[in-house]
Amino acid sequence: MTSTEAGALRRLAPPARRFLAHRKGVLIRLALWSLAESGQAFLVGHAVARSVDEGFLAGDPRRGLLWLGVALVAVLSGARVVRGVFAQLAGVTEPLRDGLVRHAVDRSMARAAPGGPGRTDRAAVSRLTNQVEIARDSFAGLVLTLRSFVFTAAGALLGLLSLHPALLVVVLPPLAAGLALFLVTLRPMAAAQRRALAADEALGEHAASARAALRDLTACGTGPGAERHGADLVADAAAAARTLAGWAAVRTAALGVAGHLPVLALLVAVEWLRGHGVSVGALLGAFTYLVQSLLPALHTLMTALGAAGSRLLVVLDRILGPEPEPEPELELGSGLESEPASEPEPEPEPESGPSTASAPAAAFAVHTAAAPAVELRSVTLSYGVRAEPVLDALDLRVAPGEHLAVVGPSGIGKSTLTRLVAGTLAPSRGEVRVAGRVVTGRPAAELAALRVLVPQDAYVFSGTVGDNLAYLRTDPSPAELDAAVEAFGLAPLVERLGGLDATVRPAELSPGERQLVALVRAYLSPAPLLLLDEATCHLDPASEARAEKALAGRSGTLVVVAHRLSSAVRADRTLVLDGIRAQSGTHAELLGRSPLYRDLTGHWNS
């Protein structure tokens, strides 16, 4: 037994004793029904032996049939015994479930109370549903299995003794040897199961993260390293599986020794038993005890005890054990603000009425003079009711004019974050504000006046070059267009196409050229917020640096989902998303306190 299991047993022993001490009446009634089960097991084999010796072999078939009738009544009475056992079992298992539910609710409420630790108890639902039901079912299975084996074995062994003491001399040694071998396997088998489970979880986690980061692994050249790590995990899982299989083979041998060797021993010892006065009926009764009662109970015990006991111990320790220490890392929703996150007073919604293209922008400009450019308040997003959250209780404030980079592994929620800020995706919980206004549910015209979102695959339509560049701004001057083209290094492309009045055929442009057109379009937009969702991924580093420099020099706020390390270095602040945690800071600050950011930097540099 490991030190973890020993500690769990020490913690659980006192509450277990108190729980059982308050249910003595139920336990006594359960024991009485179990005694009836012992009597049933005793009668079946004894009646078979008497029917042979005193009935059929003695020339009295009526007496033999009468004893067989007694055996039949004993078998049929098993249904009533099982019903009584389950009725009393409910008096133990249901209070256990109720007590565990109350404890889980009390713990969750204590964590949420003002005087408590003040953290959300995200495991409360699991404890109230899955874990409590596992504990209840495992406890019920253990009670049924242990009770059935103890009382059935007692009835069968007492029956063997009543038939002839010599029968126990033959049956008990292999039975005791098999049980001893089974008990020896319990601890190493449990340890092997834990190692196999841990190895399987590690391999699954690596496979999931590698699948989600295939593009990053390819781009950074770290695929061979990930492959070697995966091979090591596969080898560890295979070794753990082989160890588990070895102990499973020993347990199977124990079941064979205890479950089948007594029958073989009886067959081999028939001549010796007959020489010591054991009758034919007693031999047949002994076989009946073994096959009908003792061996099935033994098989159930061996197959159920190990798994159910380990599972019950782990779950009870999880529910009743001490509170886990809070993680030292920042949770999503804590410590991400560039300044103290005071709650602004809610502003009145604009009155409905006629609107023009410029009216929303003017209304927002009046309203948001001092509001953060972007504000997320405890935002959670899950793609499905039971799915794990992509973003979980995220708080974030981006100041007007700030340049923020967002980094993290592929699939971690960076694109989800930009869609939430853009108002094209509604959060499951929480609130998203841009320039002081909630964006969820806003009309498209109002959202367009607030922000521009440039995705990875830029959109270019069939039309003139000038129409594509000025799509988000209806009145740019020729000088503004020329300055934007020059700032992004787009002049060679415009000249190749034939000038601003030339027609664009999107299929003839490369992905990088389409991205540059979309970036110039966003640059010319009057919206105060630009969101780039890896919008420079098709550009070379020099073109990317030039584009981001132009966008950062534009009046307004810039949020960039970074594709390269250089994007994070150029930003005023970087937000690192790591599933259930997030951190923000400058490049130098994050190198010192974010292991994930250091890993990403290492991948990018290599």
Short mmCIF file of all heavy atoms in Angstrom, two decimals, residues 16-39:
data_model
loop_
_atom_site.label_atom_id
_atom_site.label_comp_id
_atom_site.label_asym_id
_atom_site.label_seq_id
_atom_site.Cartn_x
_atom_site.Cartn_y
_atom_site.Cartn_z
N ALA A 16 -15.82 6.76 8.79
CA ALA A 16 -16.45 5.47 8.46
C ALA A 16 -17.00 4.80 9.70
O ALA A 16 -18.12 4.26 9.70
CB ALA A 16 -15.44 4.56 7.75
N ARG A 17 -16.21 4.83 10.79
CA ARG A 17 -16.69 4.22 12.04
C ARG A 17 -17.93 4.96 12.56
O ARG A 17 -18.88 4.33 13.04
CB ARG A 17 -15.56 4.23 13.08
CG ARG A 17 -14.47 3.21 12.83
CD ARG A 17 -13.58 3.04 14.05
NE ARG A 17 -12.86 4.27 14.35
CZ ARG A 17 -11.64 4.52 13.91
NH1 ARG A 17 -11.01 3.65 13.14
NH2 ARG A 17 -11.03 5.66 14.23
N ARG A 18 -17.90 6.29 12.50
CA ARG A 18 -19.07 7.05 12.97
C ARG A 18 -20.29 6.75 12.11
O ARG A 18 -21.41 6.61 12.64
CB ARG A 18 -18.75 8.55 12.94
CG ARG A 18 -17.74 9.00 13.99
CD ARG A 18 -17.74 10.50 14.12
NE ARG A 18 -17.35 11.16 12.88
CZ ARG A 18 -16.10 11.47 12.57
NH1 ARG A 18 -15.11 11.16 13.39
NH2 ARG A 18 -15.81 12.08 11.44
N PHE A 19 -20.09 6.64 10.81
CA PHE A 19 -21.21 6.35 9.91
C PHE A 19 -21.84 5.00 10.23
O PHE A 19 -23.06 4.87 10.32
CB PHE A 19 -20.71 6.39 8.46
CG PHE A 19 -21.74 6.00 7.46
CD1 PHE A 19 -22.72 6.91 7.04
CD2 PHE A 19 -21.76 4.72 6.92
CE1 PHE A 19 -23.68 6.54 6.11
CE2 PHE A 19 -22.72 4.35 5.98
CZ PHE A 19 -23.68 5.26 5.58
N LEU A 20 -21.01 3.97 10.43
CA LEU A 20 -21.54 2.63 10.71
C LEU A 20 -22.13 2.55 12.11
O LEU A 20 -23.11 1.81 12.34
CB LEU A 20 -20.43 1.60 10.54
CG LEU A 20 -19.89 1.45 9.11
CD1 LEU A 20 -18.72 0.46 9.08
CD2 LEU A 20 -20.99 1.01 8.15
N ALA A 21 -21.56 3.30 13.07
CA ALA A 21 -22.07 3.25 14.44
C ALA A 21 -23.49 3.78 14.54
O ALA A 21 -24.26 3.35 15.41
CB ALA A 21 -21.15 4.05 15.37
N HIS A 22 -23.88 4.69 13.67
CA HIS A 22 -25.22 5.25 13.69
C HIS A 22 -26.23 4.37 12.94
O HIS A 22 -27.40 4.71 12.85
CB HIS A 22 -25.23 6.65 13.07
CG HIS A 22 -24.63 7.70 13.96
ND1 HIS A 22 -23.27 7.93 14.02
CD2 HIS A 22 -25.19 8.56 14.86
CE1 HIS A 22 -23.02 8.90 14.88
NE2 HIS A 22 -24.16 9.29 15.42
N ARG A 23 -25.78 3.23 12.41
CA ARG A 23 -26.68 2.38 11.64
C ARG A 23 -26.58 0.92 12.10
O ARG A 23 -26.57 -0.01 11.31
CB ARG A 23 -26.35 2.49 10.15
CG ARG A 23 -26.90 3.78 9.58
CD ARG A 23 -26.15 4.29 8.36
NE ARG A 23 -26.67 5.62 8.04
CZ ARG A 23 -26.21 6.74 8.56
NH1 ARG A 23 -25.22 6.71 9.44
NH2 ARG A 23 -26.74 7.91 8.23
N LYS A 24 -26.50 0.74 13.41
CA LYS A 24 -26.38 -0.61 13.96
C LYS A 24 -27.62 -1.44 13.66
O LYS A 24 -27.51 -2.63 13.38
CB LYS A 24 -26.14 -0.53 15.47
CG LYS A 24 -24.78 0.08 15.84
CD LYS A 24 -24.59 0.11 17.35
CE LYS A 24 -23.24 0.70 17.72
NZ LYS A 24 -23.05 0.79 19.19
N GLY A 25 -28.79 -0.80 13.73
CA GLY A 25 -30.02 -1.55 13.47
C GLY A 25 -30.06 -2.10 12.06
O GLY A 25 -30.42 -3.28 11.83
N VAL A 26 -29.70 -1.28 11.08
CA VAL A 26 -29.68 -1.73 9.68
C VAL A 26 -28.66 -2.84 9.50
O VAL A 26 -28.92 -3.85 8.81
CB VAL A 26 -29.38 -0.55 8.74
CG1 VAL A 26 -29.24 -1.01 7.31
CG2 VAL A 26 -30.46 0.51 8.85
N LEU A 27 -27.49 -2.69 10.12
CA LEU A 27 -26.45 -3.71 9.97
C LEU A 27 -26.87 -5.04 10.61
O LEU A 27 -26.56 -6.12 10.07
CB LEU A 27 -25.15 -3.21 10.61
CG LEU A 27 -24.49 -1.99 9.94
CD1 LEU A 27 -23.26 -1.56 10.72
CD2 LEU A 27 -24.14 -2.30 8.50
N ILE A 28 -27.58 -4.97 11.75
CA ILE A 28 -28.05 -6.21 12.38
C ILE A 28 -29.06 -6.91 11.48
O ILE A 28 -29.01 -8.14 11.29
CB ILE A 28 -28.65 -5.90 13.76
CG1 ILE A 28 -27.54 -5.47 14.74
CG2 ILE A 28 -29.39 -7.12 14.31
CD1 ILE A 28 -28.06 -5.01 16.08
N ARG A 29 -30.00 -6.14 10.91
CA ARG A 29 -31.00 -6.76 10.01
C ARG A 29 -30.34 -7.32 8.76
O ARG A 29 -30.72 -8.39 8.27
CB ARG A 29 -32.06 -5.73 9.64
CG ARG A 29 -32.96 -5.34 10.81
CD ARG A 29 -34.15 -4.54 10.35
NE ARG A 29 -33.77 -3.23 9.82
CZ ARG A 29 -33.64 -2.13 10.57
NH1 ARG A 29 -33.81 -2.21 11.90
NH2 ARG A 29 -33.31 -0.98 10.03
N LEU A 30 -29.33 -6.63 8.26
CA LEU A 30 -28.60 -7.15 7.09
C LEU A 30 -27.88 -8.44 7.45
O LEU A 30 -27.85 -9.39 6.64
CB LEU A 30 -27.60 -6.09 6.61
CG LEU A 30 -26.83 -6.39 5.33
CD1 LEU A 30 -27.78 -6.58 4.16
CD2 LEU A 30 -25.83 -5.28 5.04
N ALA A 31 -27.33 -8.52 8.65
CA ALA A 31 -26.65 -9.75 9.07
C ALA A 31 -27.64 -10.90 9.22
O ALA A 31 -27.31 -12.05 8.89
CB ALA A 31 -25.91 -9.50 10.39
N LEU A 32 -28.86 -10.61 9.71
CA LEU A 32 -29.86 -11.68 9.85
C LEU A 32 -30.26 -12.23 8.50
O LEU A 32 -30.40 -13.46 8.33
CB LEU A 32 -31.08 -11.14 10.60
CG LEU A 32 -30.84 -10.81 12.10
CD1 LEU A 32 -32.09 -10.19 12.70
CD2 LEU A 32 -30.43 -12.07 12.85
N TRP A 33 -30.48 -11.37 7.53
CA TRP A 33 -30.80 -11.86 6.18
C TRP A 33 -29.61 -12.63 5.60
O TRP A 33 -29.80 -13.62 4.88
CB TRP A 33 -31.15 -10.69 5.26
CG TRP A 33 -32.55 -10.19 5.42
CD1 TRP A 33 -32.96 -9.03 5.98
CD2 TRP A 33 -33.73 -10.88 5.01
NE1 TRP A 33 -34.34 -8.94 5.97
CE2 TRP A 33 -34.84 -10.08 5.36
CE3 TRP A 33 -33.99 -12.11 4.41
CZ2 TRP A 33 -36.15 -10.44 5.10
CZ3 TRP A 33 -35.30 -12.48 4.15
CH2 TRP A 33 -36.36 -11.66 4.50
N SER A 34 -28.40 -12.22 5.92
CA SER A 34 -27.23 -12.94 5.43
C SER A 34 -27.11 -14.31 6.09
O SER A 34 -26.67 -15.28 5.46
CB SER A 34 -25.96 -12.12 5.70
OG SER A 34 -26.02 -10.87 5.02
N LEU A 35 -27.53 -14.42 7.37
CA LEU A 35 -27.57 -15.73 8.02
C LEU A 35 -28.55 -16.66 7.31
O LEU A 35 -28.30 -17.86 7.18
CB LEU A 35 -27.94 -15.58 9.50
CG LEU A 35 -26.83 -15.10 10.43
CD1 LEU A 35 -27.38 -14.88 11.83
CD2 LEU A 35 -25.69 -16.11 10.46
N ALA A 36 -29.66 -16.08 6.86
CA ALA A 36 -30.60 -16.88 6.09
C ALA A 36 -29.95 -17.38 4.81
O ALA A 36 -30.21 -18.51 4.36
CB ALA A 36 -31.84 -16.04 5.76
N GLU A 37 -29.07 -16.56 4.21
CA GLU A 37 -28.35 -17.00 3.01
C GLU A 37 -27.39 -18.14 3.34
O GLU A 37 -27.22 -19.08 2.55
CB GLU A 37 -27.59 -15.81 2.41
CG GLU A 37 -27.01 -16.09 1.03
CD GLU A 37 -26.46 -14.85 0.37
OE1 GLU A 37 -26.64 -13.74 0.92
OE2 GLU A 37 -25.85 -14.97 -0.70
N SER A 38 -26.77 -18.07 4.53
CA SER A 38 -25.91 -19.18 4.97
C SER A 38 -26.72 -20.46 5.13
O SER A 38 -26.28 -21.55 4.73
CB SER A 38 -25.23 -18.83 6.30
OG SER A 38 -24.32 -17.77 6.13
N GLY A 39 -27.91 -20.33 5.74
CA GLY A 39 -28.77 -21.49 5.89
C GLY A 39 -29.18 -22.07 4.56
O GLY A 39 -29.26 -23.30 4.38
#
